[in-house]
């Protein structure tokens, strides 16, 4: 897959899903602690979300860092915007802000 087509795929995934998490593994079987903690915060907000297991898609894993200008995983996008990784998502969840952001994304 060419870099441009990978970038197009990433853009389509982010624009096509109000909430999407790029993570290692799946919410049911996370492959790292940061992905586990981030997906648990999302699950606790009780809305459906899309996820991409970056371990299954090395092209996306490599190019997403360039697309987002964010070097680590997981990466959470809400309404097409990069929210951040585990620490940011955890802070937003604990403050109640994550649930509000998710509810707004699903409502729109």
């Amino acid at each position: 897959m060419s870099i441009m087509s990978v970038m197009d795929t990433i853009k389509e995934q982010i624009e096509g899903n109000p909430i999407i998490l790029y993570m290692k593994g799946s919410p049911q079987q996370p492959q790292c602690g940061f992905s586990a903690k981030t997906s648990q915060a999302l699950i606790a907000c009780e809305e459906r979300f899309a996820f991409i297991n970056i371990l299954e898609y090395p092209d996306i894993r490599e190019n997403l860092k360039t697309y987002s200008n964010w070097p680590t995983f997981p990466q959470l996008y809400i309404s097409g915007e990069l929210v951040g990784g585990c620490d940011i998502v955890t802070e937003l969840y604990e403050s109640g802000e994550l649930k509000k952001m998710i509810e707004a994304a699903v409502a729109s």
Side-chain angles (χ1 to χ4, degrees):
M1 199 182 297
S2 74
I3 289 175
M4 283 317 295
S5 65
V6 173
M7 290 298 198
D8 288 341
T9 298
I10 291 169
K11 186 173 191 265
E12 286 170 16
Q13 290 169 341
I14 292 169
E15 290 177 353
N17 293 284
I19 306 155
I20 185 165
L21 179 64
Y22 290 89
M23 64 182 292
K24 294 178 179 174
S26 70
Q28 294 73 30
Q29 290 192 304
Q31 300 291 308
C32 84
F34 297 115
S35 288
K37 197 169 181 184
T38 304
S39 61
Q40 285 166 355
L42 283 172
I43 290 166
C45 291
E46 300 177 333
E47 288 291 349
R48 291 177 50 146
F49 62 94
F51 73 92
I52 304 291
N53 177 358
I54 58 161
L55 300 176
E56 291 179 2
Y57 301 98
D59 288 348
I60 289 176
R61 182 180 184 174
E62 278 312 302
N63 289 286
L64 189 61
K65 294 174 187 179
T66 305
Y67 182 92
S68 64
N69 205 16
W70 191 268
T72 58
F73 296 100
Q75 291 184 18
L76 174 64
Y77 290 80
I78 297 178
S79 300
E81 298 291 319
L82 174 64
V83 174
C86 182
D87 292 346
I88 293 168
V89 172
T90 302
E91 284 173 26
L92 288 169
Y93 172 70
E94 288 170 355
S95 74
E97 202 59 34
L98 183 65
K99 188 162 179 62
K100 290 178 193 162
M101 292 167 72
I102 286 174
E103 286 170 351
V106 171
S108 62

